């Protein structure tokens, strides 16, 4: 593969033909925010967070879908780019009901992390507060549309990795929604293999496993009795409800 | 069928038409049909039957003649005389036309359209040269006017490379709006290595008020097909698709018939005109998404996928339908191919300006005396279009702005009325040529309200793939809504401008990138109106009701409202 040279933030960087600008930037150790990109999935180019300035033309390009070419000059963190990224994040927060305090992904959410990193402390735009449903009909997983940012990682992983294509998108504009099986309840989906890949790739709390939400938290106080019984009476386990002498 | 058969067919049809003393051409395009054109045609036919004149007088249902606001329009062709146009024809007038004009030679004065009307005199009909003169549902009518001879010529006398060179030399540029050199695009597809290539005609015209492509498809479908076939020969494609907007059932039906008629006569299909070149054309009907006019979204839609754009590169010329090189041109662009091959690149390049060659069809709408479809040479001034062809502003009102390019374009204020209409000049003014919608506004139009209208359109039509367009258009719309109801602050105006530049620079496809244009161009030329709305809470044009107040002013406003209610 031919070697190419690209100038990133005034530094010469070498890469290989066929690499995207994003790969090159990240190889260089520069942190470029992304939300729809995920290593291993085909690129979408939809979140527009990885926009970089290309050349002297002042034109912006999404790094994830722009192939690196010999002699390119790019800037990744100009004042304009940072301002735009913050605006895009604000737009995302204003679009749906992203209430971090009661979200299952609080602290581990990629959207939240990008907002923290860029220093987004408030949203200048109207919160659209749409009335969105949740679908908890699946036996193991939940989709909460309030947290969805329409990155379609779930759609892509389900189609190209699992090969089930259970997920797709319906509607257009802000009325877009990810759906299962032509908008049937997830629990009744016949194509879903319950593999859970969609849940693992979701950047926010939109897709999560059951039992992880705040309301589902259950405390098992009876564990104490179990330990005490084990220590004192050597009853470590139960078989058909009867104590087992001498442990297992 | 070969070239000789084609000429025989043309001759036979010309002789047949010459047998009639008088031909009554009745427009059967969508605007005239919706104002009662079908009843007029029926009345003409009945009247001829009653007077037993079927041998001397013929009724032909044709495509668009141009002055759509004056429809239904009927043209009377008497042998040896100039064509005479009638406007606003009713079934009663139709009977009178047959009795007085067709049979007795006395034109019916009151509904006569003056033949020296600037509306007709200032136009140059190149693409629409057959429109309104032929029956779009009869192949013979098209052939009688020289149809398919250009294809026959290209197949016999030219190599594909020569066709591309000819188109390049003509200076033709894409009529969909962006103005990319057509010849260059053809050559790219021709050179792209692949055993399979496609030609696509983009007939997904969606700008509010624009209907150039619909008219061309409805009035002269064979011209589009012939242009596509020449393109197929030039780039090496054997399959073409016409993507017709779902709201254009008449156009789809006529194209369907035209394809079948052409295939039956060996003008399309396998071994076109007895040559070794084969070319099939299929129709794909859109499902009502404006974004499918964007080429990558259109291809996704043809392939049966969700109509969403994908990032370019790769461009369709490299990797388009099913990964094969694909040539996508606007329907009107294909309409220009036949005249270029027929009259030569030099002739075509003689029309228009240095960088914008040929003619452009505009759908003239809004506050002008004559609305309708016009074809003008590039480089004509806006003033000529609005005041000569359009006949000026009705009711003695003032011209305020001309909106070109639909939701992707901008407003041009009166001080630029003498600007030449071409790609570069319009772009320099912050507007675009666009596909050809031209809406004239008078002093009763409120610019923030106009901007709000187009923003609402973009918001509804955003596909939802990229964040700036999906959410940005909603936020911009909400700010415009506040400006037009009186509750906006200067901070809103600042936010609006910031959003406009961000959405323009970061959106994925042309829809998002151009969605802020109506706001930006009205802000550029009519900023005082925005400030009047915000600072003085007044709308000069009297369009906005301004019933709301800014949130921070509610403290003073509420007691006032309570008192008023009591």
């Amino acid at each position: 593969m031919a070697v190419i040279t690209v100038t990133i933030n005034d530094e010469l960087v070498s890469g290989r033909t066929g690499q995207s600008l994003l790969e090159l930037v990240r190889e260089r150790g520069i942190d470029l925010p992304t939300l729809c990109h995920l290593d291993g999935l085909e690129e979408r180019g939809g979140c527009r967070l990885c926009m970089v300035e290309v050349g002297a033309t002042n034109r912006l390009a999404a790094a994830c879908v722009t192939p690196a070419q010999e002699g390119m000059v790019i800037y990744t963190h100009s004042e304009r780019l940072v301002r735009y990224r913050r605006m895009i994040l604000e737009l995302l927060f204003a679009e749906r009901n992203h209430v971090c305090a009661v979200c299952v992904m609080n602290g581990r959410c990629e959207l939240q992390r990008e907002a923290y990193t860029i220093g987004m402390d408030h949203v200048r735009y109207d919160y659209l507060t749409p009335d969105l449903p949740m679908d908890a009909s699946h036996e193991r997983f939940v989709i909460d549309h309030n947290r969805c940012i329409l990155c379609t990682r779930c759609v892509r992983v389900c189609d190209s990795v699992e090969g089930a294509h259970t997920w797709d998108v319906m509607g257009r504009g802000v009325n877009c929604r990810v759906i299962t099986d032509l908008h049937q309840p997830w629990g009744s989906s016949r194509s879903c293999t319950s593999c859970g890949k969609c849940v693992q790739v979701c950047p926010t709390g939109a897709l999560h496993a059951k039992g992880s939400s705040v309301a589902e938290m259950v405390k098992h106080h009876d564990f104490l009795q179990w330990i005490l019984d084990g220590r004192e009476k050597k009853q470590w386990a139960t078989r058909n409800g009867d104590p087992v002498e001498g442990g297992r | 069928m070969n070239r000789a058969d084609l000429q025989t067919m043309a001759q036979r049809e010309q002789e047949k038409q010459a047998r009639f003393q008088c031909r009554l051409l009745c427009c059967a395009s969508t605007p005239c049909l919706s104002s009662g054109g079908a009843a007029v045609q029926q009345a003409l036919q009945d009247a001829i039957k009653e007077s037993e004149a079927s041998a001397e007088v013929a009724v032909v249902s044709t495509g668009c003649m141009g002055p759509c606001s004056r429809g239904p329009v009927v043209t009377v062709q008497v042998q040896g005389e100039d064509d005479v146009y009638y406007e606003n024809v009713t079934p009663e007038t139709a009977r009178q036309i047959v009795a007085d004009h067709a049979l007795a030679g006395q034109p019916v004065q009151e509904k006569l359209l003056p033949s020296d009307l600037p509306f007709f005199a200032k136009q140059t009909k190149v693409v629409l040269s057959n429109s309104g003169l032929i029956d779009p549902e009869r192949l013979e009518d098209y052939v009688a006017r020289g149809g398919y001879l250009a294809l026959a010529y290209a197949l016999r006398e030219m190599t594909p490379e020569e066709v591309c060179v000819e188109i390049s030399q003509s200076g033709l540029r894409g009529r969909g709006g962006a103005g990319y050199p057509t010849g260059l695009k053809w050559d790219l597809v021709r050179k792209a290595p692949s055993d399979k290539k496609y030609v696509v005609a983009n007939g997904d015209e969606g700008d509010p008020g624009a209907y150039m492509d619909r008219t061309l498809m409805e009035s002269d479908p064979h011209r589009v097909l012939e242009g596509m076939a020449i393109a197929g020969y030039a780039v090496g494609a054997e399959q073409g698709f016409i993507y017709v907007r779902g709201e254009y059932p008449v156009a789809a039906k006529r194209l369907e018939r035209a394809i079948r008629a052409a295939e039956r006569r060996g003008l399309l299909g396998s071994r076109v005109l007895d040559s070794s070149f084969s070319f099939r054309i299929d129709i794909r009907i859109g499902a009502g998404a404006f974004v499918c006019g964007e080429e990558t979204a259109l291809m996704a839609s043809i392939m049966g996928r969700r109509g969403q754009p994908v990032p370019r590169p790769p461009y369709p010329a490299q990797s388009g339908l099913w990964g094969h090189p694909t040539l996508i041109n606007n329907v009107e662009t294909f309409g220009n191919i036949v005249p270029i091959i027929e009259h030569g690149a030099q002739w075509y390049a003689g029309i228009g300006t240095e960088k914008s060659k040929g003619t452009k069809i505009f759908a003239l709408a809004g506050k002008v005396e004559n609305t309708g479809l016009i074809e003008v040479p590039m480089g004509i001034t806006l003033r000529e279009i609005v005041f000569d062809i359009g006949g000026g502003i009705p009711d003695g009102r003032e011209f305020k702005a001309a909106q070109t390019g639909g939701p992707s374009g901008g407003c041009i204020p009166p001080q630029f009325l003498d600007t030449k209409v071409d790609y570069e000049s319009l772009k320099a003014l912050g507007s675009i040529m666009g596909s050809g919608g031209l809406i004239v506004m008078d002093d009763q139009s409120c610019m923030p309200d106009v901007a709000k209208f187009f923003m609402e359109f973009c918001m509804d039509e955003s596909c939802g793939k990229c964040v700036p367009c999906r959410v940005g258009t909603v936020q911009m719309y909400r700010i415009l809504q506040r400006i037009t109801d009186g509750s906006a602050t200067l901070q809103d105006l600042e936010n609006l401008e910031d959003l406009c530049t961000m959405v323009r620079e970061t959106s994925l496809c042309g829809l998002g990138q151009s969605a802020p244009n109506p706001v930006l161009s009205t802000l550029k030329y009519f900023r005082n109106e925005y400030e009047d709305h915000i600072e003085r809470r007044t709308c000069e044009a009297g369009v906005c009701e301004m019933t709301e107040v800014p949130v921070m002013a509610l403290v003073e406003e509420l007691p006032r409202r309570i008192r008023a209610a009591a």
Side-chain angles (χ1 to χ4, degrees):
Chain A
M1 241 178 232
V3 174
I4 51 168
T5 315
V6 177
T7 315
I8 302 176
N9 299 341
D10 297 325
E11 278 185 59
L12 282 177
V13 174
S14 55
R16 299 173 299 283
T17 48
Q19 272 188 309
S20 72
L21 284 178
L22 181 68
E23 285 174 281
L24 220 58
V25 166
R26 290 209 163 150
E27 269 181 19
R28 187 69 189 166
I30 300 169
D31 187 26
L32 200 58
T34 53
L35 281 175
C36 66
H37 165 87
L38 188 69
D39 287 339
L41 291 183
E42 66 268 23
E43 297 295 356
R44 173 174 164 87
C47 75
R48 313 311 275 176
L49 282 180
C50 68
M51 301 291 284
V52 292
E53 278 179 20
V54 180
T57 56
N58 240 1
R59 207 173 49 83
L60 303 188
C64 61
V65 289
T66 307
Q69 278 164 15
E70 174 64 35
M72 264 186 170
V73 178
I74 64 164
Y75 291 93
T76 59
H77 284 79
S78 68
E79 182 273 333
R80 171 170 69 141
L81 287 171
V82 174
R83 190 156 42 89
Y84 286 173
R85 277 179 204 141
R86 183 180 156 149
M87 287 170 85
I88 290 171
L89 284 166
E90 283 180 42
L91 287 177
L92 275 175
F93 273 91
E95 185 186 11
R96 293 195 175 181
N97 307 305
H98 294 283
V99 189
C100 299
V102 292
C103 179
V104 289
M105 279 289 272
N106 191 6
R108 296 176 301 267
C109 170
E110 292 180 40
L111 177 67
Q112 192 184 31
R113 190 182 67 216
E114 298 305 347
Y116 274 149
T117 312
I118 213 156
M120 190 196 102
D121 48 10
H122 70 287
V123 171
R124 278 167 285 180
Y125 311 116
D126 291 355
Y127 283 101
L128 303 182
T129 56
D131 184 12
L132 291 168
M134 288 175 76
D135 180 355
S137 59
H138 192 277
E139 59 172 339
R140 286 166 54 208
F141 311 121
V142 182
I143 167 83
D144 181 357
H145 294 285
N146 294 288
R147 313 277 191 251
C148 176
I149 57 167
L150 296 169
C151 67
T152 70
R153 284 185 190 175
C154 52
V155 177
R156 287 174 283 158
V157 79
C158 189
D159 178 65
S160 63
V161 181
E162 178 63 10
H165 201 120
T166 300
W167 289 104
D168 214 319
V169 183
M170 75 164 190
R172 65 186 187 209
V174 275
N175 300 318
C176 276
R177 226 193 276 168
V178 288
I179 49 166
T180 43
D181 274 9
L182 299 172
H183 201 29
Q184 297 304 302
W186 194 0
S188 70
S189 167
R190 299 177 67 179
S191 64
C192 177
T193 60
S194 302
C195 70
K197 290 186 179 67
C198 50
V199 176
Q200 298 309 320
V201 298
C202 180
T204 69
L207 283 165
H208 55 86
K210 277 190 179 172
S212 52
S213 75
V214 177
E216 287 168 296
M217 181 61 82
V218 181
K219 297 283 168 72
H220 296 281
H221 294 307
D222 43 346
F223 85 99
L224 190 60
Q225 196 58 49
W226 181 71
I227 290 177
L228 294 177
D229 283 354
R231 233 186 243 168
E232 288 156 21
K233 302 177 191 166
K234 302 288 179 233
Q235 289 176 356
W236 283 106
T238 56
R239 188 171 290 153
N240 302 326
D242 300 324
V244 182
E245 289 294 325
R248 290 172 189 274
Chain B
M1 183 179 256
N2 56 33
R3 208 171 171 185
D5 299 336
L6 201 63
Q7 275 155 344
T8 319
M9 186 188 200
Q11 213 171 358
R12 223 173 262 159
E13 179 64 24
Q14 282 159 358
E15 282 164 9
K16 190 181 142 199
Q17 289 181 5
R19 279 201 289 274
F20 291 105
Q21 176 63 33
C22 174
R23 293 174 84 228
L24 303 171
L25 311 179
C26 184
C27 175
S29 242
T30 304
C32 281
L33 284 179
S34 57
S35 56
V40 169
Q41 200 181 336
Q42 192 59 48
L44 289 173
Q45 269 158 352
D46 291 348
I48 291 167
K49 215 177 201 178
E50 280 161 27
S51 44
E52 293 174 351
S54 309
E56 299 96 59
V57 185
V59 178
V60 185
S61 113
T62 69
C64 182
M65 298 167 191
C68 302
S69 61
R70 296 166 182 258
V73 186
V74 170
T75 311
V76 179
Q77 286 184 325
V78 178
Q79 294 242 338
E81 289 176 29
D82 287 343
D83 292 1
V84 177
Y85 295 91
Y86 287 99
E87 58 175 337
N88 298 321
V89 181
T90 57
E92 290 72 51
T93 342
R95 272 180 222 108
Q96 221 181 332
I97 290 171
V98 173
D100 295 359
H101 194 166
L103 297 175
Q106 291 299 320
V108 184
Q109 290 302 328
E110 66 258 34
K111 296 281 177 93
L112 215 54
L113 255 177
S115 55
D116 56 348
L117 208 65
F119 184 87
F120 294 111
K122 286 250 175 179
Q123 295 196 45
T124 309
K125 301 241 177 181
V126 172
V127 179
L128 295 176
S129 60
N130 290 340
S131 178
L133 293 174
I134 62 164
D135 182 347
E137 305 213 351
R138 289 187 72 236
L139 173 64
E140 293 83 356
D141 268 31
Y142 179 68
V143 172
R145 288 184 61 87
Y148 286 103
L149 278 179
L151 176 63
Y153 179 81
L155 289 178
R156 253 176 79 115
E157 315 287 344
M158 297 169 92
T159 63
E161 193 179 352
E162 281 169 356
V163 177
C164 291
V165 169
E166 192 77 9
I167 302 297
S168 291
Q169 283 175 347
S170 75
L172 174 65
R173 293 169 66 177
R175 295 291 189 249
Y180 190 80
T182 307
L184 204 61
K185 203 188 234 181
W186 284 29
D187 217 35
L188 280 175
V189 181
R190 184 180 68 81
K191 286 179 184 156
S194 175
D195 56 339
K196 213 168 188 180
K197 294 176 188 177
Y198 295 99
V199 171
V200 176
N202 183 347
D204 191 58
E205 175 182 57
D207 291 359
Y211 57 101
M212 299 73 54
D213 297 348
R214 182 187 73 197
T215 306
L216 187 56
M217 293 187 285
E218 281 180 5
S219 309
D220 202 359
H222 285 287
R223 172 184 294 260
V224 181
L225 302 182
E226 190 180 349
M228 287 178 73
I230 294 171
Y233 173 67
V235 304
E238 293 198 336
Q239 173 72 52
F241 291 100
I242 307 186
Y243 192 89
V244 186
R245 188 181 174 197
E247 290 86 340
Y248 290 173
V250 180
K253 193 191 84 188
R254 289 185 186 165
L255 281 168
E256 184 84 60
R257 283 195 180 189
I259 291 171
R260 246 182 290 151
E263 278 179 353
R264 215 168 22 236
R265 303 299 185 102
L267 298 165
L268 284 178
S270 53
R271 297 182 48 79
V272 173
L273 283 157
D274 289 348
S275 69
S276 58
F277 168 66
S278 301
F279 193 67
R280 272 184 59 84
I281 297 180
D282 285 311
I283 296 181
R284 290 288 178 272
I285 311 271
F290 178 69
V291 76
C292 286
E294 199 278 343
E295 57 182 17
T296 57
L298 184 143
M299 290 194 302
S301 179
I302 287 180
M303 293 187 284
R305 298 178 193 158
R306 182 177 158 86
Q308 273 190 334
V310 291
R312 295 174 305 185
Y315 286 90
Q318 307 155 309
S319 170
L321 285 174
W322 296 284
H324 297 291
T326 303
L327 173 76
I328 298 195
N329 276 138
N330 183 267
V331 161
E332 193 187 329
T333 314
F334 283 121
N336 278 289
I337 303 305
V338 171
I340 292 174
I341 301 295
E342 207 171 74
H343 304 293
Q346 295 311 321
W347 168 84
Y348 191 86
I351 311 170
T353 65
E354 192 196 332
K355 283 186 170 169
S356 306
K357 302 292 185 195
T359 58
K360 178 80 193 82
I361 309 177
F362 284 101
L364 192 56
K367 299 285 178 61
V368 274
E369 281 290 348
N370 309 320
T371 62
L373 206 75
I374 58 167
E375 184 175 357
V376 289
M378 294 275 192
I380 191 172
T381 64
L382 208 53
R383 188 182 298 279
E384 285 174 281
I385 295 181
V386 175
F387 288 95
D388 295 345
I389 298 175
I393 318 293
D395 307 325
R397 293 207 162 264
E398 285 278 300
F399 171 86
K400 185 170 187 180
Q403 211 280 347
T404 67
S408 314
C411 292
I412 300 167
Q415 62 263 37
F416 298 113
L417 265 174
D418 291 309
T419 308
K420 288 187 169 193
V421 173
D422 59 38
Y423 292 100
E424 276 73 26
S425 311
L426 290 183
K427 204 167 174 204
L429 292 180
S431 187
I432 55 164
M433 172 81 77
S435 58
L438 207 162
I439 302 167
V440 180
M441 289 176 273
D442 66 5
D443 50 7
Q444 286 174 303
S445 296
C446 161
M447 290 297 139
D449 187 62
V450 169
K452 186 179 80 171
F453 169 80
F454 284 113
M455 191 53 74
E456 185 178 12
F457 183 86
C458 291
M459 175 181 84
D460 286 340
E461 296 296 343
S462 168
C463 76
K465 181 167 180 175
C466 75
V467 184
C469 174
R470 182 178 78 220
V471 203
T473 51
V474 179
Q475 296 292 354
M476 289 190 284
Y477 173 72
R478 288 171 81 109
I479 295 176
L480 287 164
Q481 209 168 24
R482 283 204 288 277
I483 291 175
T484 51
D485 74 8
S487 62
T489 60
L490 285 173
Q491 180 64 51
D492 280 326
L493 189 61
E494 197 186 315
N495 283 352
L496 178 65
E497 286 189 274
D498 283 353
L499 274 171
C500 281
T501 36
M502 190 274 282
V503 171
R504 187 179 60 183
E505 291 181 21
T506 59
S507 288
L508 195 159
C509 82
L511 194 159
Q513 287 161 6
S514 61
N517 282 357
V519 182
L520 287 168
S521 83
T522 48
L523 266 173
K524 188 169 168 191
Y525 299 119
F526 302 95
R527 197 183 181 88
N528 59 323
E529 282 193 37
Y530 283 85
E531 286 166 355
D532 280 350
H533 277 73
I534 295 168
E535 290 174 333
R536 279 178 283 286
R537 297 188 53 234
T538 53
C539 174
E540 207 187 313
V543 176
C544 308
E545 293 195 345
M546 315 298 285
T547 49
E548 299 297 316
V549 294
V551 180
M552 296 309 277
L554 269 179
V555 185
E556 294 132 46
E557 175 70 8
L558 278 180
R560 210 177 303 146
R561 282 191 189 172
I562 293 165
R563 272 199 304 277

